[in-house]
Coordinates of all heavy atoms in Angstrom, one line a residue:
V1 N -65.7 7.5 11.6 CA -66.0 8.4 12.7 C -67.0 9.4 12.3 O -66.9 10.0 11.2 CB -64.7 9.2 13.2 CG1 -65.1 10.1 14.3 CG2 -63.6 8.2 13.6
S2 N -68.1 9.5 13.0 CA -69.2 10.4 12.7 C -69.3 11.5 13.8 O -69.2 11.2 14.9 CB -70.5 9.7 12.5 OG -71.6 10.6 12.3
S3 N -69.5 12.7 13.3 CA -69.8 13.8 14.2 C -71.2 13.9 14.7 O -71.6 14.7 15.5 CB -69.4 15.2 13.6 OG -70.2 15.5 12.5
R4 N -72.1 13.1 14.0 CA -73.5 13.1 14.4 C -74.0 11.6 14.5 O -73.8 10.8 13.7 CB -74.3 13.8 13.2 CG -73.9 15.2 13.0 CD -74.6 15.8 11.8 NE -74.3 17.2 11.6 CZ -74.6 17.8 10.5 NH1 -75.3 17.2 9.5 NH2 -74.3 19.1 10.3
P5 N -74.7 11.4 15.6 CA -75.2 10.0 15.9 C -76.3 9.6 14.9 O -76.5 8.4 14.7 CB -75.7 10.0 17.3 CG -75.9 11.5 17.6 CD -74.9 12.2 16.8
S6 N -76.9 10.6 14.3 CA -78.0 10.3 13.3 C -77.5 10.2 11.9 O -78.3 9.9 11.0 CB -79.0 11.4 13.4 OG -78.4 12.7 13.0
A7 N -76.2 10.3 11.6 CA -75.7 10.2 10.3 C -76.0 8.9 9.6 O -75.7 7.8 10.2 CB -74.2 10.5 10.3
K8 N -76.6 8.9 8.4 CA -77.0 7.7 7.7 C -75.7 6.9 7.3 O -75.8 5.7 7.1 CB -77.8 8.0 6.5 CG -79.2 8.5 6.9 CD -80.1 8.8 5.7 CE -81.5 9.3 6.1 NZ -82.3 9.5 4.9
G9 N -74.6 7.6 7.2 CA -73.4 6.9 6.8 C -73.0 5.9 7.8 O -72.3 4.9 7.5
L10 N -73.4 6.0 9.1 CA -73.1 5.0 10.1 C -73.7 3.7 9.7 O -73.1 2.6 9.9 CB -73.6 5.5 11.5 CG -72.8 6.6 12.1 CD1 -73.5 7.1 13.3 CD2 -71.4 6.1 12.5
Q11 N -74.9 3.8 9.2 CA -75.6 2.5 8.8 C -74.9 1.9 7.6 O -74.8 0.6 7.5 CB -77.1 2.8 8.4 CG -77.9 3.4 9.5 CD -79.3 3.9 9.1 OE1 -79.8 3.5 8.0 NE2 -79.9 4.8 9.8
R12 N -74.4 2.7 6.7 CA -73.6 2.1 5.6 C -72.4 1.4 6.1 O -72.0 0.3 5.6 CB -73.2 3.3 4.6 CG -74.3 4.0 4.0 CD -73.8 5.1 3.1 NE -74.8 6.0 2.6 CZ -75.5 5.8 1.4 NH1 -75.2 4.7 0.7 NH2 -76.4 6.6 1.0
A13 N -71.7 2.0 7.0 CA -70.5 1.4 7.6 C -70.9 0.1 8.3 O -70.2 -0.9 8.1 CB -69.8 2.3 8.6
E14 N -71.9 0.1 9.1 CA -72.3 -1.1 9.8 C -72.7 -2.2 8.9 O -72.4 -3.4 9.2 CB -73.4 -0.7 10.8 CG -72.9 0.2 12.0 CD -74.1 0.9 12.7 OE1 -75.2 0.6 12.3 OE2 -73.7 1.6 13.6
R15 N -73.4 -1.9 7.8 CA -73.8 -2.9 6.8 C -72.5 -3.6 6.2 O -72.6 -4.7 5.8 CB -74.7 -2.4 5.8 CG -76.1 -2.1 6.2 CD -77.0 -1.9 5.0 NE -76.7 -0.7 4.2 CZ -77.2 0.5 4.4 NH1 -78.1 0.7 5.4 NH2 -76.8 1.5 3.6
A16 N -71.5 -2.8 6.1 CA -70.2 -3.3 5.5 C -69.3 -3.9 6.5 O -68.2 -4.4 6.2 CB -69.5 -2.2 4.8
G17 N -69.8 -4.0 7.8 CA -69.0 -4.6 8.8 C -67.8 -3.8 9.3 O -66.8 -4.3 9.8
I18 N -67.9 -2.5 9.2 CA -66.8 -1.5 9.6 C -67.1 -1.0 10.9 O -68.3 -0.5 11.2 CB -66.7 -0.4 8.5 CG1 -66.4 -1.0 7.1 CG2 -65.6 0.6 8.9 CD1 -66.6 0.1 6.0
Q19 N -66.1 -0.9 11.8 CA -66.3 -0.4 13.1 C -66.5 1.1 13.0 O -66.0 1.8 12.2 CB -65.1 -0.7 14.0 CG -65.3 -0.3 15.5 CD -64.2 -0.8 16.3 OE1 -63.5 -1.7 15.9 NE2 -64.1 -0.3 17.6
T20 N -67.4 1.6 13.9 CA -67.8 3.1 13.9 C -67.5 3.7 15.3 O -67.5 3.0 16.3 CB -69.2 3.3 13.5 OG1 -70.1 2.7 14.5 CG2 -69.5 2.7 12.1
L21 N -67.4 5.0 15.2 CA -67.2 5.8 16.5 C -68.0 7.1 16.3 O -67.9 7.8 15.3 CB -65.8 6.1 16.7 CG -65.4 7.1 17.8 CD1 -65.8 6.5 19.2 CD2 -64.0 7.5 17.8
T22 N -68.9 7.4 17.3 CA -69.6 8.7 17.4 C -69.3 9.3 18.7 O -69.5 8.6 19.8 CB -71.1 8.5 17.2 OG1 -71.3 7.8 15.9 CG2 -71.8 9.8 17.2
L23 N -68.8 10.5 18.7 CA -68.5 11.2 19.9 C -69.8 12.0 20.4 O -70.6 12.5 19.6 CB -67.4 12.2 19.8 CG -66.1 11.5 19.3 CD1 -64.9 12.6 19.3 CD2 -65.7 10.3 20.2
S24 N -69.9 12.2 21.7 CA -71.0 13.0 22.2 C -70.8 14.5 22.0 O -69.7 15.0 21.7 CB -71.1 12.7 23.7 OG -70.0 13.3 24.4
K25 N -71.9 15.2 22.0 CA -71.9 16.6 21.9 C -71.0 17.3 22.9 O -70.4 18.3 22.7 CB -73.3 17.2 22.0 CG -74.2 16.9 20.8 CD -75.5 17.5 20.9 CE -76.4 17.2 19.7 NZ -77.8 17.9 19.8
E26 N -71.0 16.7 24.1 CA -70.2 17.2 25.2 C -68.7 17.2 24.9 O -67.9 18.1 25.1 CB -70.4 16.5 26.5 CG -71.8 16.7 27.1 CD -72.9 16.0 26.4 OE1 -72.6 15.0 25.6 OE2 -74.1 16.4 26.6
I27 N -68.2 16.1 24.3 CA -66.8 16.0 23.9 C -66.5 17.0 22.7 O -65.5 17.7 22.7 CB -66.5 14.6 23.5 CG1 -66.5 13.7 24.7 CG2 -65.1 14.5 22.9 CD1 -66.2 12.2 24.4
Y28 N -67.5 17.0 21.7 CA -67.3 17.9 20.6 C -67.3 19.4 21.0 O -66.9 20.3 20.2 CB -68.3 17.6 19.5 CG -67.8 16.7 18.5 CD1 -68.5 15.5 18.2 CD2 -66.7 16.9 17.7 CE1 -68.1 14.6 17.3 CE2 -66.2 16.0 16.8 CZ -66.9 14.9 16.5 OH -66.5 14.0 15.6
A29 N -67.9 19.7 22.2 CA -67.9 21.1 22.6 C -66.5 21.7 22.7 O -66.3 22.9 22.6 CB -68.6 21.2 23.9

């Protein structure tokens, strides 16, 4: 789970075949 859609860690997860979730700023508000 990433708090930022631009987080480079998301790419690491995707390369490893791990499912990811990023919430919108509106939800995080």
Side-chain angles (χ1 to χ4, degrees):
V1 179
S2 175
S3 64
R4 298 173 181 170
S6 60
K8 292 183 180 180
L10 289 169
Q11 299 172 20
R12 298 177 187 273
E14 289 163 2
R15 286 197 297 268
I18 301 166
Q19 188 168 343
T20 63
L21 170 68
T22 304
L23 303 185
S24 68
K25 290 183 179 180
E26 290 75 19
I27 293 178
Y28 266 122

